[in-house]
Amino acid sequence: MKELTLYDRAEASAEFLRERGFGPVPAGLTLGSGLGAVLDGLQEEQSVATSDIPHFPRSTVAGHSGRLVQGEMAGRRVIVVQGRVHGYEGYELAQVVHYVRTLSCLGVQRLILTCAAGGIVPELRPGQLCLIEDHLNLMGSSPLRGPHDERLGARFVDLTEAYDGSLGRTAAACAADLGIELGSGVYAGLPGPQYETPAEVRMLRGLGAALVGMSTVPEAIAARQLGLPVLGLALVSNAAAGLSGEPLSHEEVLEAGRVAASDLRRLLEAVVATF
Ligand code: HPA
């Protein structure tokens, strides 16, 4: 039997979702670690466990139960992705971004990527939200590696505007209206799953990064290949290693998400209302 291409698999996942009422919506919204409370702002209409969707990889991390939920947020229909998978779980980056391609097959028009991240610069305090301006792909791989399929976009993808300037300005304006402090900076994507050493954090700072995390980068790349504009929003869950004198823990990351999730929910509602 002929092996299915990446596009065929994304289309098969999309078809499964279409049969369950999912469809073309103005935005897909991916929730990072501990940010599930953002779903409180959603009038849920359809919900599917990612483990039921053909070709979807299974999430294996605490705080990342896998679901796709379609519903209304601020009067607009969105599809929320909860429980993305990461390269450190053993998945190829092509599998990590499978959901992005599925959303594109469904006709989703934009992608909002949220994540928890370590703050590398002192201006970014734990609990603060931060616009991702650009990224450093330090994951050692690319989701676009491997055979090329033009139905997914170009072989050599332009990343001059990996994160959409117009969406970023909208988010900044909405944050200002709401009185939410929104930082901005470059996100360094590392493979993980270990947190960084203090020496690595100093190196990242020297490279111009303000944030460090283990997700977001592959998805932004895949979205740009598909021509989807991307908005990236990070919650600074902790000061990166060596900056606060405290050890880092996943529990701390989840807790920061719970605390800041209501600001993130308000900001996302305001942004989505502009679509
Ligand atoms: N480093 C890498 N990934 C992270 C961090 C961090 O400090 N915090 C949340 N995700």
Side-chain angles (χ1 to χ4, degrees):
M1 204 170 74
K2 197 162 159 279
E3 216 187 295
L4 290 177
T5 65
L6 295 174
Y7 180 87
D8 294 336
R9 274 184 258 162
E11 181 46 41
S13 299
E15 184 54 28
F16 175 92
L17 291 165
R18 252 179 238 121
E19 284 163 5
R20 280 153 190 80
F22 287 77
V25 295
L29 166 58
T30 308
L31 297 183
S33 298
L35 299 176
V38 168
L39 283 168
D40 296 347
L42 191 79
Q43 298 262 329
E44 198 172 309
E45 289 165 354
Q46 282 84 23
S47 173
V48 175
T50 48
S51 53
D52 290 339
I53 310 173
H55 308 296
F56 260 57
R58 308 272 172 109
S59 170
T60 64
V61 191
H64 279 274
S65 79
R67 281 206 302 160
L68 255 65
V69 185
Q70 182 171 270
E72 257 194 38
M73 180 181 274
R76 305 283 184 279
R77 195 154 282 129
V78 297
I79 297 176
V80 178
V81 180
Q82 192 182 21
R84 52 151 70 103
V85 299
H86 306 77
Y88 61 72
E89 294 171 71
Y91 290 114
E92 293 293 331
L93 295 186
Q95 292 173 288
V96 170
V97 304
H98 173 75
Y99 83 86
V100 177
R101 293 169 170 161
T102 300
L103 292 180
S104 174
C105 285
L106 271 175
V108 171
Q109 290 161 20
R110 307 168 183 79
L111 187 61
I112 304 178
L113 296 170
T114 70
C115 62
I120 292 179
V121 292
E123 301 84 86
L124 294 180
R125 288 167 290 95
Q128 194 176 338
L129 296 176
C130 186
L131 181 69
I132 300 178
E133 272 177 5
D134 202 348
H135 73 219
L136 296 169
N137 179 10
L138 301 175
M139 293 193 165
S141 189
S142 163
L144 313 186
R145 185 172 165 272
H148 179 53
D149 186 333
E150 345 194 280
R151 291 171 296 180
L152 297 173
R155 166 90 287 190
F156 301 104
V157 176
D158 174 39
L159 292 181
T160 309
E161 208 173 333
Y163 299 85
D164 190 73
S166 164
L167 284 175
R169 285 188 291 278
T170 300
C174 291
D177 284 350
L178 292 165
I180 294 172
E181 199 186 332
L182 185 67
S184 72
V186 172
Y187 175 99
L190 268 68
Q194 73 285 350
Y195 292 113
E196 301 67 40
T197 63
E200 287 165 345
V201 170
R202 287 193 296 275
M203 172 190 76
L204 295 172
R205 192 168 175 178
L207 293 176
L211 299 156
V212 56
M214 307 171 194
S215 64
T216 306
V217 164
E219 293 130 291
I221 295 171
R224 292 310 300 137
Q225 185 184 38
L226 292 156
L228 294 179
V230 176
L231 172 64
L233 291 171
L235 163 69
V236 181
S237 54
N238 56 281
L243 299 181
S244 74
E246 297 292 322
L248 272 49
S249 75
H250 186 53
E251 286 63 41
E252 169 192 25
V253 170
L254 296 181
E255 179 56 23
R258 280 189 283 272
V259 172
S262 78
D263 275 357
L264 181 61
R265 177 178 55 71
R266 287 162 59 227
L267 178 56
L268 288 170
E269 286 169 7
V271 170
V272 166
T274 68
F275 295 162

